[in-house]
């Protein structure tokens, strides 16, 4: 048996590190294996689906790959995906023969310890981690038995950036074999309206062009790509696939105003991209490394790019070149205006550049800053202009000042925040972190230029991004006492074709209108842009759009905040760097993002016997939690844990708001739990069944003469004639004879009865100004072994063992939700495989639980009809027929 049964890895090619060397060796090992052994030998990837939902530039992507081992022996399946560099993985799961193994995101060291613990126990484990800031590749291999099926599901999120006037979503397509069901599906929702939409693939030929469907109307856009297996072939009857390359979706939005404010669930995002502004003149000095290591193709590509850039320099710009090796060689002793004559002379100078000597980065940059300072002092440059330094180098300093920290200090002291420094790192032979920190300390960024045939295009593409400054010193202001936790809201430049994005929290629940003020320096004068919106109307306009996923603005805010904290950390001092890392880690764990500070661990026991002895929960659940818990949560979703089957059953109860249902009734211990349904704030008249939730709970313990009423506002205990009231803002632990009650502020309530079960009530807060939804409760039962065998109710009846069999699993109308036949309680039912959320372990985000859904209000699973569980009030004792 192959020892490496399960292996998960995120690789980075952004920096040259020991980790990269290991990754390279891993890739070489894979290459040396027979391709048939790894992918084709009996392994049939019969389905691959990439499902993308983009809402207001924020993309939520789910990649699902299904494979079956058609061989007669166990085989290794390889799942490999290339991800956008700025994306964060949020979830990974692997399902083998109906058993799902979930990824668990933890602090990096804790994840590593869990990984090592699993390996030491003989488990096969995978450690998913982002090795550096430029995450690139995700690889999983797993052994599956003959005739077994495996499903991989990877979820990642990213904020799409506007680049040269278009948002761009890149999807790497590389299934490495013909796939029976291959599909890319993208749904885009933009409240501003979509102005253009295109989809293209680097691998698309004439036959495949017709398989791309794209359309947009108003606020919605749709792209799909579904080539048949024959259309994927490189030739008739070939077994090789055309699908190998980039699939890119580009779009832009309508811009009736300079900015767009979006508000939902107490968070806002502000997109700012004004159009039709006069261009701010630019002053740029190109600082070019001409040391010996640049000799050959790198030097030729650099010269090619510089010549093309000179063609695009505008007449009112000023520019110069400073070449450096161990000497500093300026083209001119001062910046010159981009006249036709000066541009022609510059082109000749560029063509004459030759590479030789060592690398003196310090003196080159200091001389550059002195030249820029002198030009401003002598008023050679326009008063309202933007000054930028662009340095290209392929190596570390080898002459002059060699201490990298000292160079960074010297450059920062010289620039003093007046100019932007952009560093272009050519290849891998330099310390990327050194260049990155230096750029970030000076209002710039660092971009890697990959050594390839298109290096000249990469250089030119970067210049195009910063070629046209439209605004300087951009400041975005929001209501001071009504907002908090803003992302970056001051920017040195706004470049044509880009976009500024700011997000934050609204902390004033009584705020009715929201105002954004933007102040900046334009080409001719200072400018101000103001936008004001009605909060409730704006939230209502966004609500219930089919393309919207969850609280997307909150997740966008968290994503942006983490990215910026990680960026600030690079250039911060030691103590501040620790604080920034702690903040980023806290958000990464809260919102379940795989970042450079977190890792995801997936543990798969070696065989079924191991699963029974050492369940997955032992190594992959963050919290100590009972092995069995039944619950009702959501609208209302009943989730039944069946540990003997290592599976879950689920069903809904559809009744009107105001109805009270019996959830638990134990006549022996005297415990009864009832729940009252609530609906939406406003009822639609579309004929659809209204979703309902648990809004109130009534708990009775006759042995303790105790009644507890729980609402979304307060908890009331009545013991005989004594009454005590608590709110969800409290954090307390109350112990009295036979009862322990613990309130965790604004999260959950734990009730433990000495001779009965333990209950957890989860509080779900909804934004106060949400136009439709309102706060609701979730109810979870634990310690079911402490209740009597006579316990009943919609949840209570499942405290005892329930047996069922599932067979004839078949495709449903939704390929993600197969149907099956179930035998339970002597009833033959058609059931559907779905996923529900359990908030008992994680009240904020929940855990996804696959389950078999029983239709028609649980008919055939629950005893009697669902209406038999209706009781007259919160404290009624039920009578079940």
């Amino acid at each position: 048996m192959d020892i490496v049964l399960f292996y998960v890895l995120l690789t980075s090619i952004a920096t040259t590190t020991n980790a990269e060397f290991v990754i390279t060796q891993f890739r070489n090992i894979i290459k040396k294996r027979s391709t048939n052994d790894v992918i084709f030998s009996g392994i049939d990837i019969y389905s691959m689906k990439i499902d993308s939902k983009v809402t207001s530039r924020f993309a939520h992507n789910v990649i699902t790959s299904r494979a079956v081992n058609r061989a007669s022996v166990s085989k290794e399946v390889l799942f490999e995906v290339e991800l956008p560099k700025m994306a964060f993985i949020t979830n990974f799961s692997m399902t083998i023969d109906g058993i799902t193994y979930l990824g668990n995101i933890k602090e990096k060291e804790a994840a590593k310890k869990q990984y090592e613990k699993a390996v030491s126990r003989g488990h096969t484990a995978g450690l998913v981690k982002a090795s550096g800031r430029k995450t690139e590749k995700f690889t999983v291999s797993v052994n599956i038995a003959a005739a077994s099926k495996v499903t991989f599901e990877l979820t990642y999120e990213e904020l799409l950036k506007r680049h040269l006037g278009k948002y761009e979503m890149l999807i790497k397509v590389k299934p490495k074999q013909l796939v029976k069901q291959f599909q890319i599906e993208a749904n885009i929702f933009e409240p501003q309206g979509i102005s253009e939409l295109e989809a293209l693939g680097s691998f698309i030929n004439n036959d495949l062009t017709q398989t791309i469907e794209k359309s947009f109307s108003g606020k919605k856009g749709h792209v799909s790509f579904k080539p048949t297996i024959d259309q994927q072939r490189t030739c008739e009857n070939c077994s090789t696939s055309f699908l190998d390359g980039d699939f890119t979706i580009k779009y832009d939005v309508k811009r009736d105003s300079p900015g767009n404010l979006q508000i939902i669930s107490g968070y806002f995002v502000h997109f700012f991209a004004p159009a039709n502004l006069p261009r701010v003149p630019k002053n740029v000095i190109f600082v070019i490394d001409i040391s010996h290591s640049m000799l050959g193709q790198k030097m030729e590509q650099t010269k090619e790019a510089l010549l093309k850039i000179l063609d695009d320099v505008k007449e009112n710009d000023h520019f110069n070149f400073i070449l450096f090796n161990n000497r500093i060689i300026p083209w001119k002793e001062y910046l010159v205006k981009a006249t036709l004559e000066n541009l022609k002379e510059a082109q000749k100078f560029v063509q004459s550049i030759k590479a030789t000597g060592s690398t003196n980065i310090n003196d080159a940059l200091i001389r550059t800053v002195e030249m820029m300072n002198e030009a401003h002092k002598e008023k050679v440059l326009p008063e309202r202009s933007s000054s930028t330094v662009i340095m290209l180098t392929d190596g570390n300093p080898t002459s002059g000042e060699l201490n990298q920290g000292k160079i960074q200090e010297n450059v920062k002291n010289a620039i003093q925040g007046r100019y932007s420094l952009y560093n272009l790192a050519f290849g891998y032979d330099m310390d990327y972190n050194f260049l990155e920190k230096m750029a970030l300390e000076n209002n710039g960024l660092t971009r890697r230029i990959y050594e390839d045939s298109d290096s000249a295009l990469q250089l030119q593409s970067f210049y195009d991004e910063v070629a046209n400054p439209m605004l300087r010193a951009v400041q975005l202001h929001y209501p001071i006492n009504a907002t908090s936790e803003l992302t970056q809201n001051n920017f040195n430049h706004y470049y044509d074709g880009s976009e500024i994005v700011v997000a934050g929290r609204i902390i004033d629940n009584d705020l009715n209108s929201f105002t954004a003020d933007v102040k900046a320096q334009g080409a001719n004068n200072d400018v101000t842009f103001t936008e004001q919106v009605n909060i409730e109307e704006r939230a209502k306009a966004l609500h219930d759009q089919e393309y919207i996923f969850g609280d997307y603005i909150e997740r966008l805010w968290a994503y942006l905040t983490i990215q910026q904290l990680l960026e600030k950390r690079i250039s911060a001092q030691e103590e501040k760097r620790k604080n920034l890392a702690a903040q980023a880690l806290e958000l990464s764990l809260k919102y379940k993002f795989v970042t450079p500070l977190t890792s995801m661990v997936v543990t798969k026991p070696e065989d079924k016997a191991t699963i029974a002895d050492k369940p997955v929960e032992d190594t992959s659940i963050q919290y100590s939690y009972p092995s069995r818990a039944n619950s009702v949560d959501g609208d209302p979703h009943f989730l039944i844990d069946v540990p003997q089957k290592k599976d879950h059953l689920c069903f809904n109860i559809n009744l009107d708001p105001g109805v009270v249902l019996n959830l638990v009734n134990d006549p022996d211990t005297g415990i009864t739990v009832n729940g009252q349904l609530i609906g939406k704030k406003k009822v639609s008249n579309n004929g659809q069944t209204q979703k309902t939730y648990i809004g109130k709970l009534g708990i009775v313990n006759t042995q303790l003469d105790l009644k507890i009423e729980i609402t979304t506002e307060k908890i009331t205990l009545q013991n005989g004639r004594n009454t005590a009231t608590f709110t969800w803002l409290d954090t307390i632990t109350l112990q009295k004879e036979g009862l322990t009650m613990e309130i965790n502020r604004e999260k959950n309530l734990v009730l433990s009865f000495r001779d009965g079960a333990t209950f957890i009530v989860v509080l779900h807060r909804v934004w106060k100004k949400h136009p439709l939804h309102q706060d609701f409760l979730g109810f979870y039962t634990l310690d079911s072994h402490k209740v009597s065998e006579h316990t009943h109710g919609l949840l209570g009846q499942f405290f005892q063992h329930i047996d069922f069999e599932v067979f004839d699993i078949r495709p449903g109308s939704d390929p993600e939700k197969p149907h099956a036949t179930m035998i339970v309680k002597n009833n033959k039912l058609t059931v559907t495989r779905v996923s529900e959320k359990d908030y008992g372990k994680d009240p904020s985000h929940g855990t996804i639980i696959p389950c078999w859904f029983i239709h028609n209000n649980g008919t055939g699973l629950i005893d009697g009809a669902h209406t038999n569980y209706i009781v007259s009030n919160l404290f009624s004792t039920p009578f079940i027929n």
Side-chain angles (χ1 to χ4, degrees), residues 609-628:
T610 306
I611 294 174
D613 293 337
K614 298 177 182 178
V616 176
E617 285 83 352
D618 284 351
T619 55
S620 65
I621 298 298
Q622 292 186 10
Y623 306 107
S624 176
Y625 200 73
S627 59
R628 183 176 185 184

Side-chain angles (χ1 to χ4, degrees), residues 627-630 639-650 798 800-804 861:
S627 59
R628 183 176 185 184
N630 299 331
L639 187 62
I640 310 302
D641 185 10
V642 188
Q644 295 85 351
K645 294 287 186 178
K646 297 184 180 63
D647 210 342
H648 291 78
L649 305 177
C650 51
F798 300 107
Q800 310 305 321
H801 172 61
I802 179 172
D803 196 16
F804 65 89
L861 173 65

